[in-house]
Amino acid sequence: MVKRHEDKFVETLEKYGYKGSYLSEYWLKQPAFIQSFYPNSLEYISNLTDLPKILLIFNATVPTQDANRPYVDLTSDQYLDDIKNYVVGIGPLKDLVVPVINNYLQEPTDLVTRAHAHNLQVHPYTYQNENQFLPLNFHADPYEEYNYWLNHIGVDGLFTDFTGSLHNFQDWTS
């Protein structure tokens, strides 16, 4: 039997002690989320490990590569209900949660509310400290952005390129 790349990936995780469902004793020792833009890959992996999985969602107009459907379909209530069988959450592009026009935040969409209604976490991406990536609403302060997303939008996690600043924010606000 030929192994798929997912088989090798999960074997590597297990080799280094990554295992356990979300918040289990094993998971808390070495927390990890498996993230992918490929729904079929995550569904396959769900049969190999109980580590929590996050479906990444890109620009709503681009088709997914393995499901051959637009990403906008991945945010429909029916699809969110279907995927909760093999993922703990979604990782949408930030603009799918709160659109940005001319570098200013617009009104939030209902994606977080709808995902939570399906018992799915929401971990948007990617948070970056550089001014060019911070909407003007945050006055060049990444901590304002973290506060906005975690405490006003109510997301469950963040994907950042600057883990140190997110860790500092968590220390200062806990």
Side-chain angles (χ1 to χ4, degrees):
M1 179 177 170
V2 176
K3 287 190 176 186
R4 294 172 50 156
H5 73 278
E6 293 95 340
D7 296 305
K8 294 175 184 180
F9 172 69
V10 171
E11 285 173 8
T12 302
L13 288 170
E14 290 172 349
K15 175 181 174 183
Y16 291 99
Y18 291 97
K19 60 183 175 181
S21 59
Y22 181 63
L23 295 180
S24 70
E25 180 182 343
Y26 290 115
W27 186 85
L28 288 170
K29 288 179 183 176
Q30 284 187 251
F33 287 93
I34 297 171
Q35 60 180 0
S36 177
F37 286 102
Y38 304 106
N40 293 348
S41 181
L42 288 174
E43 190 169 15
Y44 181 82
I45 287 174
S46 72
N47 294 311
L48 304 176
T49 180
D50 57 354
L51 281 168
K53 290 153 262 332
I54 301 290
L55 175 61
L56 298 175
I57 301 173
F58 186 60
N59 182 320
T61 61
V62 177
T64 62
Q65 294 194 359
D66 64 339
N68 199 24
R69 59 195 314 167
Y71 275 104
V72 71
D73 288 356
L74 305 186
T75 61
S76 71
D77 283 321
Q78 179 181 348
Y79 196 80
L80 293 175
D81 201 48
D82 291 343
I83 65 172
K84 71 182 181 185
N85 296 316
Y86 60 92
V87 300
V88 297
I90 58 173
L93 183 68
K94 290 189 311 184
D95 290 4
L96 295 176
V97 178
V98 180
V100 175
I101 297 177
N102 295 324
N103 211 20
Y104 284 96
L105 298 173
Q106 303 302 300
E107 285 297 312
T109 67
D110 65 350
L111 183 55
V112 171
T113 301
R114 289 186 308 101
H116 286 167
H118 292 279
N119 295 315
L120 293 169
Q121 295 182 20
V122 181
H123 300 193
Y125 69 91
T126 299
Y127 295 84
Q128 298 169 298
N129 288 8
E130 297 104 327
N131 288 342
Q132 68 198 36
F133 299 113
L134 285 164
L136 294 172
N137 309 66
F138 301 123
H139 311 100
D141 185 348
Y143 302 110
E144 276 192 44
E145 184 178 37
Y146 295 147
N147 183 60
Y148 173 78
W149 283 89
L150 292 167
N151 297 313
H152 297 288
I153 298 301
V155 299
D156 308 286
L158 307 171
F159 287 111
T160 180
D161 289 341
F162 295 88
T163 56
S165 64
L166 180 56
H167 183 74
N168 288 340
F169 174 80
Q170 290 173 308
D171 281 349
W172 296 334
T173 59
S174 62

